[in-house]
Amino acid sequence: MRILHTSDWHLGRTLHEADLHDHQADFHDWLVDLVTEREVDVVVIPGDVYDRAVPPVRSVELLGRTLRRLADVATVILTPGNHDSAKRLGFGSALMRDGVHILADARTALEHPVVVPDAHGEVLFFALPYLEPDIARFALAADETQPLGRSHEAVTRAAMERIATRIAQHAEAAGPGPRARSVVLAHTFVAGGSGSDSERDLSVGGVDSVPADALRGVDYVALGHLHGCQDLPAQAGTTAWYCGSPLAFSFSEKDHRKSVLLVELDAPGEVSVQRIATPVPRRLSELQGTLEEVLAQAETHGEDWVKAVITDPHRPPHLLERLRGAYPHLRHTEHRPQGREDSDLTPVVRREQDPMEVMGQFLEYVTGTEATDAERDVLEQAYQSVRTQRSEAS
């Protein structure tokens, strides 16, 4: 069986206010073509299809078109992530056309797998939608009066135990012969995975991950949540991969090789995974140095999405205008004077402080140097002007 693993589309998301919708639509066109050309049997999408619980209308329309097109050539199975609303994503799932399975309800997804046959027998597809511990610890408890521990590990282990029970029941009912293979779609943060600034924090009680060995007992685990493509360490006891997001959603992802995964599931125990690079609409570059040093790199990075970190001792005049002139796709700018410690904190303002002192501290924080006499004169004039206006208004 040939499985295409893709995740974390985050439809509706922007990159520092840059609209990504057209790029996401291009990825969907590319994906449908790939699934068709490679004769993929099943497409699995383990969560974060949307970027927020109430997505934009055009994102909903894009998802509908893409699922319809994919269902013409393959079976599609998806489950919600922590960004999706399980109820909204799962609404009408029972009415979906043949070939599209939205496994949004945890109990149903764990106990009623999607069964897809191939030359080696049957493959059982289970799903672990994002399990919010404060909810799942009651829903998955064997005794509703005794909830599970309040942790991602507790609810994930309970979910995998239910899957193991269902696999055993299926084997008993099937009788002699090759065992059914099993695939789990899981949206979670597994220990050993490498995150980025783009993923939403899942911490509960100070812990945001589950041990890799909680996923043992199945043939392949299709993971969602982390945006970098990566496989898990051997502790998982199975073949488990994050495919990552198809596009970068922050500059912390600038070095990612964005991919989808083509999984070949043959006879029991035979699994192979191939990474296929997704189309990159525009390169992400972080440029650091003085303003002149950064501007000098425009020939190489002029068409990139750019984060500029300017290290001049004083903020250069017309900084943004000059950067935008050289970098039309500038997305983020920081003035970080060289030698200034990142640990420097914004001064705390106290009610009893002299306003001139507060303004002086702010100027020093922004520029990295104490205000000059001329700057203090300007601040004093501005302060007195505001006081005069307020006095006249009252």
Side-chain angles (χ1 to χ4, degrees):
M1 179 172 294
R2 190 166 289 172
I3 301 169
L4 195 291
H5 174 191
T6 177
S7 183
D8 293 270
W9 293 353
H10 288 278
L11 301 180
R13 188 153 182 165
T14 60
L15 174 69
H16 291 278
E17 299 183 0
D19 189 347
L20 298 178
H21 179 81
D22 289 344
H23 301 306
Q24 291 173 324
D26 289 342
F27 162 71
H28 284 208
D29 290 339
W30 174 87
L31 180 68
V32 172
D33 290 342
L34 177 69
V35 169
T36 304
E37 292 168 4
R38 295 297 187 98
E39 298 182 338
V40 169
D41 300 296
V42 182
V43 178
V44 295
I45 313 169
D48 283 354
V49 176
Y50 294 129
D51 187 58
R52 53 185 183 270
V54 183
V57 171
R58 63 177 181 169
S59 297
V60 176
E61 293 172 343
L62 174 59
L63 178 63
R65 289 196 303 271
T66 301
L67 293 181
R68 183 171 62 251
R69 295 168 66 195
L70 288 173
D72 286 339
V73 293
T75 298
V76 184
I77 305 171
L78 66 156
T79 194
N82 58 300
H83 281 252
D84 302 306
S85 165
K87 289 185 177 180
R88 288 190 172 90
L89 189 63
F91 175 76
S93 59
L95 304 177
M96 278 287 177
R97 60 179 295 170
D98 291 342
V100 177
H101 304 269
I102 300 179
L103 306 183
D105 178 74
R107 290 186 178 181
T108 301
L110 297 173
E111 298 176 4
H112 300 282
V114 176
V115 181
V116 183
D118 71 355
H120 298 285
E122 294 180 328
V123 181
L124 312 180
F125 288 85
F126 298 89
L128 269 67
Y130 171 64
L131 300 175
E132 176 60 58
D134 286 332
I135 299 173
R137 62 193 295 251
F138 294 95
L140 298 181
D143 181 353
E144 294 185 359
T145 64
Q146 295 292 326
L148 301 169
R150 185 175 178 264
S151 69
H152 291 289
E153 178 178 359
V155 298
T156 301
R157 288 194 184 278
M160 291 301 294
E161 287 173 5
R162 292 197 178 201
I163 289 175
T165 298
R166 186 67 185 87
I167 291 174
Q169 291 171 345
H170 186 276
E172 183 178 354
R179 68 170 177 85
R181 291 145 296 155
S182 52
V183 174
V184 170
L185 289 68
H187 193 92
T188 188
F189 190 163
V190 180
S194 178
S196 69
D197 294 343
S198 306
E199 298 100 10
R200 186 175 294 169
D201 183 25
L202 303 181
S203 296
V204 175
V207 180
D208 61 359
S209 63
V210 300
D213 65 3
L215 302 173
R216 291 177 180 272
V218 296
D219 292 275
Y220 182 72
V221 182
L223 290 163
H225 179 60
L226 299 184
H227 291 181
C229 183
Q230 56 199 290
D231 61 341
L232 290 188
Q235 290 89 332
T238 185
T239 305
W241 279 76
Y242 285 101
C243 61
S245 60
L247 300 175
F249 299 118
S250 74
F251 281 92
S252 65
E253 300 180 38
K254 61 184 176 60
D255 296 324
H256 287 183
R257 291 171 50 218
K258 296 302 185 183
S259 310
V260 297
L261 300 175
L262 188 63
V263 182
E264 296 279 359
L265 200 63
D266 295 319
E270 298 179 5
V271 183
S272 62
V273 179
Q274 176 188 357
R275 294 180 62 168
I276 301 176
T278 58
V280 177
R282 196 178 299 282
R283 184 171 57 178
L284 273 71
S285 296
E286 180 173 336
L287 309 179
Q288 182 166 335
T290 65
L291 176 59
E292 295 305 323
E293 291 171 342
V294 169
L295 292 175
Q297 301 180 62
E299 185 173 345
T300 303
H301 298 285
E303 294 303 314
D304 298 356
W305 277 316
V306 169
K307 173 182 178 180
V309 180
I310 305 302
T311 61
D312 294 74
H314 299 281
R315 184 180 178 88
H318 310 295
L319 174 61
L320 288 179
E321 291 85 346
R322 295 178 68 186
L323 285 172
R324 286 171 178 158
Y327 299 103
H329 306 289
L330 179 71
R331 304 273 31 106
H332 183 70
T333 305
E334 293 181 20
H335 178 223
R336 193 186 303 165
Q338 189 172 13
R340 186 173 180 181
E341 295 294 332
D342 290 338
S343 59
D344 289 348
L345 301 177
T346 305
V348 176
V349 178
R350 301 184 304 277
R351 183 181 295 273
E352 65 273 13
Q353 275 186 283
D354 177 12
M356 285 299 300
E357 180 185 0
V358 173
M359 288 190 286
Q361 287 180 341
F362 175 75
L363 187 62
E364 182 177 351
Y365 174 77
V366 171
T367 64
T369 59
E370 292 186 9
T372 64
D373 290 341
E375 289 169 336
R376 291 183 184 279
D377 287 343
V378 172
L379 292 175
E380 177 70 31
Q381 292 173 19
Y383 174 56
Q384 293 301 334
S385 175
V386 171
R387 289 192 62 183
T388 299
Q389 292 175 12
R390 288 187 174 180
S391 176
E392 291 174 351
S394 60

